[in-house]
Amino acid sequence: MLDFFNQYAIAKWILAGFGVLYFLDKYGIFSPIDNLLNRRGKYKFKMQSHLDNPKLKQLIGYFNNSEYHNVEQTLKSLNASYRAFAFKSLGQYTDVTISDAWLAKEPNNDLPKIIKGYQLIHKAWEVRGRDTIDTVSNQNQNTFKSYLKKAEAVLLKVDQNNTIYKNNCVSSLLKIYKAIEVNRENTHQLFQRTIEEFPNDAELHLNYFSFISPKWGASEDELNRYMNELNSKSPFIQDLILAQYYFDLVHLYNYKDQDGKIQQFMETVRSNTINNENLFRYELYLLLYWLANNLENKPLEKHYKSLITDYWED
């Protein structure tokens, strides 16, 4: 081997270079393959949390202009699903520096803390992407979790007993806790306490379902306990969770729906009427669009894609 390196000195330097790159990637310092991964095999999409909705876009403008009173009054006027999408919009389209300026002015105000939590979570997912964990470099995993830990720290400063945004705060914590090491029993209890106050909160249920999904490291028992009680939830929550459950089943486990049960479910949802004030219908239709695509059901894929044009483009 020594003779080989003496004859071919360049091989020694190439191997040494690979060793350095491996070390840098392993410890999350720098990943030379990130740009390559971003150019190949990625699911390309554009999400618009504001849905081109004038009220939500106006809220973003208020925030970016530091009109804090108008932000508060607008959020208080919204229903639960509008408010969730409002926070998502603030997370996507605004900057943490404005939240920090608001907190410097009003350190005891919990609202800018919650908004900052959404902003940091959005940044985390921008880094991680939507692909499976094996496509995420060590560098990006470290950055992703760093943002989540920062979001957790600010959200834990919120007085959940004295805020009308408790459900949004807990929903954000659930989104964080599915991706980091936590006391799982404490998290189950947090959800149960909150859902007693907000039994049909779609954001809570959707984020909790991810937390108890085996694809995020949960046990089958955790999943089954929740699914066994699904019939007690509102019809919309049942449809939303079943859509996520069926999508995971097909996408991750290559389930073929040979008995047509999933197709029947998609057809049933298609015939349902969902109130226009329920913005989580966009999340439901997005899941059904992906599901129809994976099952190669072109008519249903086309139908559900037509319903999400304000929210999703790919």
Side-chain angles (χ1 to χ4, degrees), residues 245-255 262 291 294-295:
Y245 175 78
Y246 286 144
F247 173 72
D248 291 349
L249 197 62
V250 171
H251 186 67
L252 297 174
Y253 304 107
N254 201 31
Y255 182 76
I262 297 178
L291 189 53
N294 282 7
L295 290 174

Side-chain angles (χ1 to χ4, degrees), residues 194-245:
T194 312
I195 212 67
E196 288 175 4
E197 295 182 52
F198 308 91
N200 295 314
D201 190 280
E203 186 183 24
L204 272 173
H205 281 282
L206 200 55
N207 286 350
Y208 182 68
F209 184 79
S210 290
F211 175 75
I212 59 170
S213 171
K215 74 179 182 183
W216 284 99
S219 69
E220 291 289 343
D221 286 343
E222 289 175 294
L223 175 64
N224 291 337
R225 280 198 301 270
Y226 178 81
M227 295 301 291
N228 288 340
E229 297 179 355
L230 189 59
N231 287 339
S232 67
K233 314 304 179 189
S234 71
F236 179 77
I237 294 298
Q238 292 182 47
D239 288 345
L240 182 64
I241 296 304
L242 278 176
Q244 182 68 70
Y245 175 78

Side-chain angles (χ1 to χ4, degrees), residues 35 54 71 78 127-128 150 156 200 202 204 209 213 216 228 249 255 259 265 270 276-277:
N35 290 333
V71 172
L78 301 176
V127 170
R128 187 200 178 282
K150 290 177 182 177
L156 288 178
N200 295 314
L204 272 173
F209 184 79
S213 171
W216 284 99
N228 288 340
L249 197 62
Y255 182 76
D259 59 1
F265 167 71
R270 179 177 183 174
N276 285 340
E277 292 297 300

Side-chain angles (χ1 to χ4, degrees), residues 97-112:
T97 57
I98 303 176
S99 296
D100 287 336
W102 189 353
L103 281 169
K105 184 177 180 181
E106 303 177 37
N108 295 322
N109 190 338
D110 283 331
L111 180 53

Side-chain angles (χ1 to χ4, degrees), residues 14 20 30 36 60 71 110 133 172 198 212-213 227 239 309:
I14 290 173
V20 170
F30 169 72
L36 179 61
I60 295 165
V71 172
D110 283 331
I133 194 64
S172 295
F198 308 91
I212 59 170
S213 171
M227 295 301 291
D239 288 345
T309 52

Side-chain angles (χ1 to χ4, degrees), residues 35-52:
N35 290 333
L36 179 61
L37 285 174
N38 288 333
R39 289 196 297 269
R40 298 178 58 192
K42 290 286 188 179
Y43 174 39
K44 302 295 184 182
F45 65 90
K46 178 183 178 182
M47 180 183 71
Q48 290 193 141
S49 294
H50 59 50
L51 308 169
D52 272 330

Side-chain angles (χ1 to χ4, degrees), residues 42-268:
K42 290 286 188 179
Y43 174 39
K44 302 295 184 182
F45 65 90
K46 178 183 178 182
M47 180 183 71
Q48 290 193 141
S49 294
H50 59 50
L51 308 169
D52 272 330
N53 182 289
K55 191 181 299 185
L56 296 181
K57 293 176 81 170
Q58 183 182 50
L59 174 67
I60 295 165
Y62 285 150
F63 187 88
N64 285 331
N65 291 326
S66 301
E67 298 176 35
Y68 306 137
H69 177 73
N70 287 336
V71 172
E72 290 194 89
Q73 293 307 307
T74 300
L75 284 167
K76 287 178 181 178
S77 73
L78 301 176
N79 69 29
S81 74
Y82 258 90
R83 191 178 290 168
F85 272 77
F87 278 121
K88 282 161 60 77
S89 297
L90 292 171
Q92 181 177 1
Y93 299 107
T94 65
D95 195 82
V96 171
T97 57
I98 303 176
S99 296
D100 287 336
W102 189 353
L103 281 169
K105 184 177 180 181
E106 303 177 37
N108 295 322
N109 190 338
D110 283 331
L111 180 53
K113 298 171 190 173
I114 295 172
I115 293 171
K116 184 174 179 178
Y118 276 85
Q119 291 168 326
L120 291 168
I121 290 170
H122 182 78
K123 285 180 176 293
W125 284 95
E126 277 190 318
V127 170
R128 187 200 178 282
R130 300 187 65 90
D131 290 317
T132 54
I133 194 64
D134 59 302
T135 67
V136 185
S137 71
N138 288 324
Q139 181 192 12
N140 280 358
Q141 285 188 52
N142 287 350
T143 305
F144 168 63
K145 291 187 177 182
S146 175
Y147 275 128
L148 293 183
K149 293 298 290 184
K150 290 177 182 177
E152 179 194 22
V154 72
L155 290 168
L156 288 178
K157 294 177 182 177
V158 173
D159 184 353
Q160 293 179 15
N161 294 320
N162 291 309
T163 176
I164 61 173
Y165 311 114
K166 177 179 179 178
N167 55 324
N168 306 109
C169 181
V170 172
S171 294
S172 295
L173 286 170
L174 292 173
K175 192 165 187 176
I176 293 167
Y177 290 160
K178 74 178 182 181
I180 64 175
E181 292 293 327
V182 292
N183 184 310
R184 299 193 66 81
E185 188 53 39
N186 287 350
T187 306
H188 293 313
Q189 292 175 10
L190 174 64
F191 171 73
Q192 291 301 330
R193 289 194 305 271
T194 312
I195 212 67
E196 288 175 4
E197 295 182 52
F198 308 91
N200 295 314
D201 190 280
E203 186 183 24
L204 272 173
H205 281 282
L206 200 55
N207 286 350
Y208 182 68
F209 184 79
S210 290
F211 175 75
I212 59 170
S213 171
K215 74 179 182 183
W216 284 99
S219 69
E220 291 289 343
D221 286 343
E222 289 175 294
L223 175 64
N224 291 337
R225 280 198 301 270
Y226 178 81
M227 295 301 291
N228 288 340
E229 297 179 355
L230 189 59
N231 287 339
S232 67
K233 314 304 179 189
S234 71
F236 179 77
I237 294 298
Q238 292 182 47
D239 288 345
L240 182 64
I241 296 304
L242 278 176
Q244 182 68 70
Y245 175 78
Y246 286 144
F247 173 72
D248 291 349
L249 197 62
V250 171
H251 186 67
L252 297 174
Y253 304 107
N254 201 31
Y255 182 76
K256 297 300 184 182
D257 191 35
Q258 293 178 338
D259 59 1
K261 183 178 180 179
I262 297 178
Q263 179 173 336
Q264 181 58 51
F265 167 71
M266 291 191 290
E267 294 283 5
T268 299

